[in-house]
Amino acid sequence: MYYGFDIGGTKIELAVFNEKLERQYSERVPTPQDNYEEWLNAIVNLVKKADEKFGCKGTVGLGLPGFVNKETGIAEITNIRVADNKPILKDLSERLDREVRAENDANCFALSEAWDEENQQYPCVLGLILGTGFGGGIVIDGKVHSGQTGMAGELGHLQLNYHALKLLGWDKAPIYDCGCGNRACLDTYLSGRGFEMLYRDLKGEALSAKEIIEKFYAGEQSAVEFVELFIELCAISIGNIITALDPNVIVLGGGLSNFDYLYEALPKALPAHLMRSAKIPLIKKARYGDSGGVRGAAALFLSR
């Protein structure tokens, strides 16, 4: 059996999957906040309970809101302070007497989608999350590409380029600070949060993403103009990513992925920002939603 964990700041979820990545069982517990040993034990206890339930020694994959540095083995997960800067894989492997693997939660999202039956035909799957932030994961031949240290796919920390700034207006382009310490990162523009902030700062009205989209579908000029600008901003930024990676398919997740107009408009806007011979990848909505994290974590032990 394949065990996948979604490690969050408030809860730890375990889901157990069979070889077809069909969910068999799941359980959640609160994330211990004060003691590293308690945090380790919460995971260990869930694994041992699953082992007993299924009569086997399952594989253990973790999806993290951060990553484990491949060179040092130290976790960089700043929003889970109790486990940040700790050798979590070494410690868990010793306690569980088996290998434990971990990846960034966006990579797990992408991996889950890449192992969908329809997507297994594609050598390169790019997962993009347009949610509270903007992030991504790169899957090549069924394996996450996470780079030298584990931070490959941190696409939210690419920065606005010349064309994006020109689109937003040199003299009025809002420049947002990013939590990473830099400015003008895509995380603060292509996310649902960025969608709302841009509308506020460009149109002078604070609305939720849902309200903006409702106004767009109602044909209100301000919202229509803004959405077209946002689509162009996405095309400029995602076009750069396509040029670098040339993926076969892009799977969108996060709240803004439910804005169906994206799937109609983005493929039409992309060619202007790609090389002449580029092929527009298939762009589709994520299938597994909130289950993608644990499913992708379980898939860390699968191979083609």
Side-chain angles (χ1 to χ4, degrees):
M1 303 299 280
Y2 297 88
Y3 302 169
F5 279 88
D6 181 7
I7 308 294
T10 58
K11 56 88 180 170
I12 295 173
E13 179 183 4
L14 163 69
V16 178
F17 297 84
N18 62 18
E19 290 184 354
K20 295 182 179 179
L21 282 184
E22 298 167 331
R23 186 188 290 239
Q24 305 297 301
Y25 163 81
S26 62
E27 185 174 351
R28 291 184 178 189
V29 297
T31 303
Q33 303 292 333
D34 302 317
N35 185 283
Y36 179 54
E37 287 297 320
E38 289 179 3
W39 185 86
L40 292 172
N41 287 335
I43 296 171
V44 169
N45 290 339
L46 286 171
V47 170
K48 289 183 175 179
K49 184 175 179 180
D51 284 351
E52 185 175 342
K53 180 177 180 66
F54 291 96
C56 69
K57 195 172 182 178
T59 62
V60 179
L62 311 179
L64 304 171
F67 63 96
V68 176
N69 189 302
K70 289 183 177 180
E71 295 180 346
T72 65
I74 299 298
E76 297 189 31
I77 40 178
T78 55
N79 65 334
I80 305 180
R81 294 185 181 278
V82 71
D84 185 38
N85 207 34
K86 299 288 197 305
I88 64 172
L89 296 186
K90 174 179 177 292
D91 291 342
L92 285 170
S93 295
E94 289 175 352
R95 285 163 172 76
L96 291 169
D97 189 29
R98 73 197 79 177
E99 180 187 5
V100 177
R101 298 178 183 177
E103 276 292 349
N104 176 268
D105 47 16
N107 288 341
C108 290
F109 156 76
L111 188 62
S112 173
E113 296 297 328
W115 277 94
D116 179 69
E117 189 173 354
E118 288 185 6
N119 295 335
Q120 288 186 40
Q121 62 184 300
Y122 301 116
C124 182
V125 176
L126 173 64
L128 296 178
I129 298 175
L130 289 74
T132 304
F134 174 74
I138 307 158
V139 179
I140 300 173
D141 293 330
K143 290 288 187 182
V144 170
H145 173 72
S146 51
Q148 289 187 76
T149 61
M151 68 174 63
E154 290 284 357
L155 302 172
H157 301 292
L158 299 175
Q159 294 161 4
L160 294 181
N161 67 8
Y162 165 89
H163 299 285
L165 290 168
K166 182 180 178 183
L167 173 72
L168 294 174
W170 297 113
D171 58 342
K172 64 177 182 179
I175 303 300
Y176 302 128
D177 293 330
C178 181
C180 74
N182 288 322
R183 307 185 77 200
C185 291
L186 297 185
D187 188 73
T188 53
Y189 294 84
L190 302 193
S191 57
R193 175 171 47 100
F195 186 77
E196 294 173 349
M197 291 193 304
L198 280 171
Y199 190 85
R200 178 197 67 200
D201 293 338
L202 296 178
K203 295 299 181 181
E205 186 178 13
L207 296 176
S208 68
K210 180 181 178 182
E211 290 170 326
I212 297 165
I213 291 169
E214 287 174 350
K215 285 179 177 291
F216 167 78
Y217 282 126
E220 294 192 19
Q221 183 178 354
S222 179
V224 170
E225 290 174 351
F226 172 76
V227 166
E228 296 301 339
L229 179 143
F230 185 79
I231 293 290
E232 186 68 7
L233 182 63
C234 287
I236 291 168
S237 304
I238 295 173
N240 282 342
I241 297 169
I242 292 171
T243 298
L245 300 177
D246 195 18
N248 300 90
V249 61
I250 297 176
V251 182
L252 303 183
L256 273 185
S257 71
N258 295 312
F259 184 18
D260 289 339
Y261 182 66
L262 286 173
Y263 303 94
E264 172 190 341
L266 190 54
K268 295 176 182 176
L270 278 168
H273 305 289
L274 297 173
M275 296 178 69
R276 183 176 62 246
S277 58
K279 184 175 181 181
I280 307 297
L282 174 66
I283 301 175
K284 59 194 297 189
K285 187 184 298 186
R287 181 171 179 180
Y288 295 96
D290 292 341
S291 298
V294 286
R295 191 173 181 274
L300 290 172
F301 283 85
L302 294 179
S303 61
R304 291 180 184 170

